[in-house]
Amino acid sequence: MKYFIAVVALAALVAAKPQAPQEPIAILRQAADVGPEQYQYSYETANGISAEEFGSLKAAQNEEGAAIAAQGQYTYTDDQGNKFQVQYVADENGFQPQGAHLPVAPPVPEAIARALEYIAAHPQPEKH
């Protein structure tokens, strides 16, 4: 047990080791316009990161009232020089990204799709 505690303590010390200082990254372009009903922003950095987003207040489909719906995109380059771009929508249905590098779910098998349609068309009576 003492050995385990010593190993955990050593791992904590290694993890807490100060990191080498990072050089600041220059911001090449930045813009923002924020209002009570909508907003938009964009920026671009010297290391190849860029982003832009537009959001607006819209009536929600639930009883909570209004919600922000946003859409935008961001681009970045990984350590190997590969450039990635993600487009997205974020609303009451959650964050919905799209990009060529993102995995795509396989289609729902036909038998399961038919079963789901049947269940939706024939709801079970509520039990009290």
Side-chain angles (χ1 to χ4, degrees), residues 87-121:
Q87 298 85 28
Y88 61 88
V89 172
D91 56 18
E92 68 271 11
N93 297 315
F95 181 71
Q96 304 154 52
Q98 293 182 342
H101 64 290
L102 298 176
V104 177
V108 176
E110 186 179 328
I112 293 175
R114 283 194 316 268
L116 291 172
E117 289 173 11
Y118 179 86
I119 291 169

mmCIF file of all heavy atoms in Angstrom, residues 87-121:
data_model
loop_
_atom_site.group_PDB
_atom_site.id
_atom_site.type_symbol
_atom_site.label_atom_id
_atom_site.label_comp_id
_atom_site.label_asym_id
_atom_site.label_seq_id
_atom_site.Cartn_x
_atom_site.Cartn_y
_atom_site.Cartn_z
ATOM 1 N N GLN A 87 -17.897 22.862 -39.825
ATOM 2 C CA GLN A 87 -19.071 23.724 -39.864
ATOM 3 C C GLN A 87 -20.040 23.170 -38.828
ATOM 4 O O GLN A 87 -20.090 21.966 -38.620
ATOM 5 C CB GLN A 87 -19.758 23.721 -41.245
ATOM 6 C CG GLN A 87 -18.917 24.245 -42.379
ATOM 7 C CD GLN A 87 -18.028 23.175 -42.978
ATOM 8 O OE1 GLN A 87 -18.342 21.992 -42.944
ATOM 9 N NE2 GLN A 87 -16.899 23.575 -43.509
ATOM 10 N N TYR A 88 -20.817 24.064 -38.202
ATOM 11 C CA TYR A 88 -21.713 23.576 -37.164
ATOM 12 C C TYR A 88 -22.954 24.438 -37.030
ATOM 13 O O TYR A 88 -22.996 25.585 -37.468
ATOM 14 C CB TYR A 88 -21.002 23.510 -35.813
ATOM 15 C CG TYR A 88 -20.506 24.847 -35.326
ATOM 16 C CD1 TYR A 88 -21.321 25.692 -34.581
ATOM 17 C CD2 TYR A 88 -19.221 25.272 -35.615
ATOM 18 C CE1 TYR A 88 -20.875 26.921 -34.144
ATOM 19 C CE2 TYR A 88 -18.766 26.497 -35.183
ATOM 20 C CZ TYR A 88 -19.588 27.321 -34.443
ATOM 21 O OH TYR A 88 -19.135 28.535 -34.025
ATOM 22 N N VAL A 89 -23.957 23.831 -36.421
ATOM 23 C CA VAL A 89 -25.175 24.497 -35.970
ATOM 24 C C VAL A 89 -25.313 24.111 -34.511
ATOM 25 O O VAL A 89 -25.047 22.966 -34.142
ATOM 26 C CB VAL A 89 -26.413 24.019 -36.771
ATOM 27 C CG1 VAL A 89 -27.699 24.556 -36.166
ATOM 28 C CG2 VAL A 89 -26.284 24.415 -38.223
ATOM 29 N N ALA A 90 -25.689 25.065 -33.674
ATOM 30 C CA ALA A 90 -25.930 24.780 -32.256
ATOM 31 C C ALA A 90 -27.258 25.428 -31.892
ATOM 32 O O ALA A 90 -27.426 26.640 -32.020
ATOM 33 C CB ALA A 90 -24.801 25.333 -31.395
ATOM 34 N N ASP A 91 -28.220 24.605 -31.493
ATOM 35 C CA ASP A 91 -29.546 25.116 -31.152
ATOM 36 C C ASP A 91 -30.173 24.216 -30.100
ATOM 37 O O ASP A 91 -29.452 23.495 -29.406
ATOM 38 C CB ASP A 91 -30.430 25.240 -32.401
ATOM 39 C CG ASP A 91 -30.569 23.943 -33.169
ATOM 40 O OD1 ASP A 91 -30.283 22.857 -32.608
ATOM 41 O OD2 ASP A 91 -30.977 23.996 -34.341
ATOM 42 N N GLU A 92 -31.498 24.215 -29.993
ATOM 43 C CA GLU A 92 -32.146 23.390 -28.979
ATOM 44 C C GLU A 92 -31.904 21.899 -29.197
ATOM 45 O O GLU A 92 -32.144 21.077 -28.310
ATOM 46 C CB GLU A 92 -33.656 23.682 -28.902
ATOM 47 C CG GLU A 92 -34.438 23.257 -30.118
ATOM 48 C CD GLU A 92 -34.536 24.324 -31.203
ATOM 49 O OE1 GLU A 92 -33.840 25.345 -31.130
ATOM 50 O OE2 GLU A 92 -35.316 24.120 -32.148
ATOM 51 N N ASN A 93 -31.400 21.512 -30.366
ATOM 52 C CA ASN A 93 -31.080 20.111 -30.648
ATOM 53 C C ASN A 93 -29.624 19.774 -30.332
ATOM 54 O O ASN A 93 -29.167 18.684 -30.631
ATOM 55 C CB ASN A 93 -31.381 19.785 -32.110
ATOM 56 C CG ASN A 93 -32.848 19.942 -32.418
ATOM 57 O OD1 ASN A 93 -33.695 19.490 -31.659
ATOM 58 N ND2 ASN A 93 -33.162 20.611 -33.507
ATOM 59 N N GLY A 94 -28.888 20.727 -29.766
ATOM 60 C CA GLY A 94 -27.499 20.495 -29.393
ATOM 61 C C GLY A 94 -26.511 20.975 -30.438
ATOM 62 O O GLY A 94 -26.870 21.643 -31.412
ATOM 63 N N PHE A 95 -25.250 20.643 -30.223
ATOM 64 C CA PHE A 95 -24.155 21.004 -31.120
ATOM 65 C C PHE A 95 -24.078 19.965 -32.224
ATOM 66 O O PHE A 95 -23.962 18.767 -31.952
ATOM 67 C CB PHE A 95 -22.843 21.050 -30.332
ATOM 68 C CG PHE A 95 -21.650 21.442 -31.138
ATOM 69 C CD1 PHE A 95 -21.505 22.743 -31.590
ATOM 70 C CD2 PHE A 95 -20.666 20.524 -31.432
ATOM 71 C CE1 PHE A 95 -20.393 23.118 -32.329
ATOM 72 C CE2 PHE A 95 -19.547 20.882 -32.159
ATOM 73 C CZ PHE A 95 -19.410 22.192 -32.614
ATOM 74 N N GLN A 96 -24.165 20.406 -33.480
ATOM 75 C CA GLN A 96 -24.213 19.494 -34.621
ATOM 76 C C GLN A 96 -23.087 19.830 -35.594
ATOM 77 O O GLN A 96 -23.276 20.609 -36.525
ATOM 78 C CB GLN A 96 -25.564 19.619 -35.317
ATOM 79 C CG GLN A 96 -26.747 19.384 -34.382
ATOM 80 C CD GLN A 96 -27.982 20.103 -34.864
ATOM 81 O OE1 GLN A 96 -28.380 19.960 -36.014
ATOM 82 N NE2 GLN A 96 -28.573 20.896 -33.983
ATOM 83 N N PRO A 97 -21.896 19.250 -35.391
ATOM 84 C CA PRO A 97 -20.759 19.555 -36.264
ATOM 85 C C PRO A 97 -20.761 18.716 -37.535
ATOM 86 O O PRO A 97 -21.302 17.616 -37.564
ATOM 87 C CB PRO A 97 -19.560 19.193 -35.392
ATOM 88 C CG PRO A 97 -20.066 18.064 -34.554
ATOM 89 C CD PRO A 97 -21.529 18.383 -34.286
ATOM 90 N N GLN A 98 -20.123 19.260 -38.568
ATOM 91 C CA GLN A 98 -19.916 18.533 -39.813
ATOM 92 C C GLN A 98 -18.507 18.849 -40.304
ATOM 93 O O GLN A 98 -18.088 20.002 -40.280
ATOM 94 C CB GLN A 98 -20.920 18.946 -40.884
ATOM 95 C CG GLN A 98 -22.338 18.566 -40.572
ATOM 96 C CD GLN A 98 -23.286 18.958 -41.703
ATOM 97 O OE1 GLN A 98 -22.961 19.778 -42.553
ATOM 98 N NE2 GLN A 98 -24.454 18.368 -41.697
ATOM 99 N N GLY A 99 -17.797 17.840 -40.735
ATOM 100 C CA GLY A 99 -16.460 18.021 -41.267
ATOM 101 C C GLY A 99 -16.019 16.737 -41.942
ATOM 102 O O GLY A 99 -16.428 15.646 -41.546
ATOM 103 N N ALA A 100 -15.160 16.873 -42.941
ATOM 104 C CA ALA A 100 -14.717 15.700 -43.701
ATOM 105 C C ALA A 100 -13.955 14.707 -42.819
ATOM 106 O O ALA A 100 -13.945 13.515 -43.094
ATOM 107 C CB ALA A 100 -13.840 16.144 -44.865
ATOM 108 N N HIS A 101 -13.342 15.163 -41.737
ATOM 109 C CA HIS A 101 -12.545 14.302 -40.872
ATOM 110 C C HIS A 101 -13.357 13.678 -39.730
ATOM 111 O O HIS A 101 -12.847 12.826 -39.010
ATOM 112 C CB HIS A 101 -11.383 15.099 -40.270
ATOM 113 C CG HIS A 101 -11.831 16.203 -39.365
ATOM 114 N ND1 HIS A 101 -12.467 17.326 -39.840
ATOM 115 C CD2 HIS A 101 -11.761 16.347 -38.035
ATOM 116 C CE1 HIS A 101 -12.755 18.116 -38.825
ATOM 117 N NE2 HIS A 101 -12.339 17.547 -37.711
ATOM 118 N N LEU A 102 -14.603 14.072 -39.562
ATOM 119 C CA LEU A 102 -15.429 13.562 -38.471
ATOM 120 C C LEU A 102 -16.102 12.254 -38.872
ATOM 121 O O LEU A 102 -16.532 12.104 -40.012
ATOM 122 C CB LEU A 102 -16.496 14.586 -38.081
ATOM 123 C CG LEU A 102 -15.970 15.917 -37.550
ATOM 124 C CD1 LEU A 102 -17.119 16.878 -37.294
ATOM 125 C CD2 LEU A 102 -15.158 15.705 -36.294
ATOM 126 N N PRO A 103 -16.205 11.311 -37.946
ATOM 127 C CA PRO A 103 -16.866 10.049 -38.275
ATOM 128 C C PRO A 103 -18.362 10.263 -38.513
ATOM 129 O O PRO A 103 -18.968 11.176 -37.956
ATOM 130 C CB PRO A 103 -16.635 9.179 -37.039
ATOM 131 C CG PRO A 103 -16.346 10.135 -35.943
ATOM 132 C CD PRO A 103 -15.741 11.355 -36.562
ATOM 133 N N VAL A 104 -18.933 9.425 -39.344
ATOM 134 C CA VAL A 104 -20.358 9.490 -39.655
ATOM 135 C C VAL A 104 -21.001 8.186 -39.183
ATOM 136 O O VAL A 104 -20.463 7.104 -39.420
ATOM 137 C CB VAL A 104 -20.575 9.666 -41.179
ATOM 138 C CG1 VAL A 104 -22.047 9.662 -41.524
ATOM 139 C CG2 VAL A 104 -19.912 10.946 -41.666
ATOM 140 N N ALA A 105 -22.122 8.323 -38.507
ATOM 141 C CA ALA A 105 -22.818 7.128 -38.016
ATOM 142 C C ALA A 105 -23.325 6.305 -39.195
ATOM 143 O O ALA A 105 -23.721 6.852 -40.226
ATOM 144 C CB ALA A 105 -23.983 7.536 -37.125
ATOM 145 N N PRO A 106 -23.320 4.994 -39.054
ATOM 146 C CA PRO A 106 -23.861 4.159 -40.133
ATOM 147 C C PRO A 106 -25.370 4.345 -40.211
ATOM 148 O O PRO A 106 -26.006 4.769 -39.242
ATOM 149 C CB PRO A 106 -23.504 2.740 -39.699
ATOM 150 C CG PRO A 106 -23.351 2.825 -38.222
ATOM 151 C CD PRO A 106 -22.844 4.203 -37.927
ATOM 152 N N PRO A 107 -25.963 4.044 -41.355
ATOM 153 C CA PRO A 107 -27.415 4.189 -41.467
ATOM 154 C C PRO A 107 -28.138 3.207 -40.542
ATOM 155 O O PRO A 107 -27.610 2.140 -40.207
ATOM 156 C CB PRO A 107 -27.698 3.856 -42.940
ATOM 157 C CG PRO A 107 -26.510 3.096 -43.405
ATOM 158 C CD PRO A 107 -25.342 3.547 -42.575
ATOM 159 N N VAL A 108 -29.330 3.584 -40.126
ATOM 160 C CA VAL A 108 -30.146 2.717 -39.274
ATOM 161 C C VAL A 108 -30.615 1.543 -40.133
ATOM 162 O O VAL A 108 -31.143 1.738 -41.227
ATOM 163 C CB VAL A 108 -31.363 3.492 -38.721
ATOM 164 C CG1 VAL A 108 -32.275 2.585 -37.919
ATOM 165 C CG2 VAL A 108 -30.898 4.665 -37.879
ATOM 166 N N PRO A 109 -30.417 0.317 -39.652
ATOM 167 C CA PRO A 109 -30.876 -0.837 -40.428
ATOM 168 C C PRO A 109 -32.382 -0.746 -40.697
ATOM 169 O O PRO A 109 -33.151 -0.255 -39.870
ATOM 170 C CB PRO A 109 -30.552 -2.033 -39.525
ATOM 171 C CG PRO A 109 -29.444 -1.545 -38.655
ATOM 172 C CD PRO A 109 -29.711 -0.089 -38.442
ATOM 173 N N GLU A 110 -32.794 -1.239 -41.871
ATOM 174 C CA GLU A 110 -34.186 -1.120 -42.314
ATOM 175 C C GLU A 110 -35.172 -1.732 -41.322
ATOM 176 O O GLU A 110 -36.220 -1.157 -41.034
ATOM 177 C CB GLU A 110 -34.343 -1.775 -43.687
ATOM 178 C CG GLU A 110 -35.708 -1.568 -44.285
ATOM 179 C CD GLU A 110 -35.829 -2.193 -45.657
ATOM 180 O OE1 GLU A 110 -34.837 -2.250 -46.391
ATOM 181 O OE2 GLU A 110 -36.955 -2.625 -45.984
ATOM 182 N N ALA A 111 -34.839 -2.882 -40.754
ATOM 183 C CA ALA A 111 -35.752 -3.531 -39.807
ATOM 184 C C ALA A 111 -35.953 -2.678 -38.552
ATOM 185 O O ALA A 111 -37.065 -2.564 -38.034
ATOM 186 C CB ALA A 111 -35.219 -4.908 -39.429
ATOM 187 N N ILE A 112 -34.890 -2.056 -38.082
ATOM 188 C CA ILE A 112 -35.007 -1.199 -36.898
ATOM 189 C C ILE A 112 -35.788 0.062 -37.232
ATOM 190 O O ILE A 112 -36.623 0.520 -36.440
ATOM 191 C CB ILE A 112 -33.613 -0.877 -36.330
ATOM 192 C CG1 ILE A 112 -32.997 -2.163 -35.787
ATOM 193 C CG2 ILE A 112 -33.685 0.206 -35.252
ATOM 194 C CD1 ILE A 112 -31.584 -2.024 -35.302
ATOM 195 N N ALA A 113 -35.580 0.626 -38.406
ATOM 196 C CA ALA A 113 -36.333 1.816 -38.818
ATOM 197 C C ALA A 113 -37.832 1.502 -38.877
ATOM 198 O O ALA A 113 -38.658 2.303 -38.416
ATOM 199 C CB ALA A 113 -35.827 2.315 -40.171
ATOM 200 N N ARG A 114 -38.184 0.339 -39.426
ATOM 201 C CA ARG A 114 -39.601 -0.061 -39.473
ATOM 202 C C ARG A 114 -40.163 -0.242 -38.069
ATOM 203 O O ARG A 114 -41.297 0.168 -37.779
ATOM 204 C CB ARG A 114 -39.784 -1.349 -40.282
ATOM 205 C CG ARG A 114 -39.713 -1.145 -41.785
ATOM 206 C CD ARG A 114 -40.235 -2.358 -42.558
ATOM 207 N NE ARG A 114 -39.769 -3.644 -42.060
ATOM 208 C CZ ARG A 114 -38.683 -4.288 -42.491
ATOM 209 N NH1 ARG A 114 -37.953 -3.767 -43.447
ATOM 210 N NH2 ARG A 114 -38.348 -5.466 -41.988
ATOM 211 N N ALA A 115 -39.376 -0.846 -37.180
ATOM 212 C CA ALA A 115 -39.829 -1.048 -35.800
ATOM 213 C C ALA A 115 -40.055 0.288 -35.101
ATOM 214 O O ALA A 115 -41.045 0.474 -34.382
ATOM 215 C CB ALA A 115 -38.823 -1.888 -35.028
ATOM 216 N N LEU A 116 -39.171 1.235 -35.305
ATOM 217 C CA LEU A 116 -39.335 2.555 -34.698
ATOM 218 C C LEU A 116 -40.572 3.272 -35.233
ATOM 219 O O LEU A 116 -41.291 3.931 -34.467
ATOM 220 C CB LEU A 116 -38.082 3.405 -34.920
ATOM 221 C CG LEU A 116 -36.831 2.951 -34.171
ATOM 222 C CD1 LEU A 116 -35.623 3.746 -34.632
ATOM 223 C CD2 LEU A 116 -37.030 3.062 -32.670
ATOM 224 N N GLU A 117 -40.821 3.142 -36.525
ATOM 225 C CA GLU A 117 -42.031 3.733 -37.114
ATOM 226 C C GLU A 117 -43.286 3.105 -36.507
ATOM 227 O O GLU A 117 -44.257 3.795 -36.199
ATOM 228 C CB GLU A 117 -42.037 3.550 -38.632
ATOM 229 C CG GLU A 117 -41.031 4.404 -39.362
ATOM 230 C CD GLU A 117 -40.952 4.085 -40.840
ATOM 231 O OE1 GLU A 117 -41.827 3.346 -41.373
ATOM 232 O OE2 GLU A 117 -39.993 4.561 -41.480
ATOM 233 N N TYR A 118 -43.273 1.792 -36.331
ATOM 234 C CA TYR A 118 -44.416 1.095 -35.747
ATOM 235 C C TYR A 118 -44.642 1.571 -34.307
ATOM 236 O O TYR A 118 -45.771 1.850 -33.911
ATOM 237 C CB TYR A 118 -44.206 -0.422 -35.783
ATOM 238 C CG TYR A 118 -45.351 -1.180 -35.160
ATOM 239 C CD1 TYR A 118 -46.476 -1.507 -35.904
ATOM 240 C CD2 TYR A 118 -45.325 -1.532 -33.810
ATOM 241 C CE1 TYR A 118 -47.543 -2.173 -35.331
ATOM 242 C CE2 TYR A 118 -46.390 -2.208 -33.226
ATOM 243 C CZ TYR A 118 -47.500 -2.520 -33.989
ATOM 244 O OH TYR A 118 -48.553 -3.176 -33.420
ATOM 245 N N ILE A 119 -43.575 1.649 -33.535
ATOM 246 C CA ILE A 119 -43.696 2.087 -32.140
ATOM 247 C C ILE A 119 -44.251 3.505 -32.071
ATOM 248 O O ILE A 119 -45.116 3.804 -31.230
ATOM 249 C CB ILE A 119 -42.332 1.984 -31.431
ATOM 250 C CG1 ILE A 119 -41.957 0.517 -31.265
ATOM 251 C CG2 ILE A 119 -42.349 2.693 -30.076
ATOM 252 C CD1 ILE A 119 -40.514 0.286 -30.825
ATOM 253 N N ALA A 120 -43.782 4.390 -32.947
ATOM 254 C CA ALA A 120 -44.274 5.775 -32.946
ATOM 255 C C ALA A 120 -45.755 5.826 -33.333
ATOM 256 O O ALA A 120 -46.517 6.644 -32.798
ATOM 257 C CB ALA A 120 -43.438 6.615 -33.915
ATOM 258 N N ALA A 121 -46.188 4.950 -34.232
ATOM 259 C CA ALA A 121 -47.570 4.960 -34.684
ATOM 260 C C ALA A 121 -48.512 4.253 -33.711
ATOM 261 O O ALA A 121 -49.725 4.443 -33.766
ATOM 262 C CB ALA A 121 -47.688 4.309 -36.056
#
